[in-house]
Amino acid sequence: MLKFVKNHMDSISGIEIYPIISLIIFFSFFVILFWWVFTAKKEYITRVSNLPLELDNQNETEL
């Protein structure tokens, strides 16, 4: 099965660029995510992590 797919892919000209583009997109996404995590402000992280708890408290007071 893999031999059939490989032979079929070899017949397409210019296909070797797609794995390179995919790797660059994948790598750049995680580099940007890594950068964002380490540069995010501690107050923002704390506020966002407490959001589910604040929503639960609001729902209890409405009942």
Side-chain angles (χ1 to χ4, degrees):
M1 177 75 176
L2 186 61
K3 208 179 259 189
F4 172 74
V5 172
K6 185 176 179 189
N7 288 337
H8 181 66
M9 293 295 185
D10 285 338
S11 67
I12 301 172
S13 63
I15 198 164
E16 63 273 355
I17 193 72
Y18 291 110
I20 296 169
I21 291 172
S22 299
L23 180 65
I24 290 171
I25 291 171
F26 180 80
F27 184 74
S28 62
F29 172 77
F30 282 103
V31 165
I32 291 170
L33 186 66
F34 186 76
W35 173 77
W36 179 80
V37 165
F38 280 105
T39 60
K41 296 192 184 305
K42 181 109 173 139
E43 297 83 28
Y44 174 75
I45 301 295
T46 305
R47 184 171 49 99
V48 172
S49 65
N50 288 330
L51 276 177
L53 300 174
E54 291 173 4
L55 291 176
D56 284 344
N57 290 339
Q58 287 177 359
N59 288 340
E60 289 176 4
T61 57
E62 290 176 1
L63 295 176

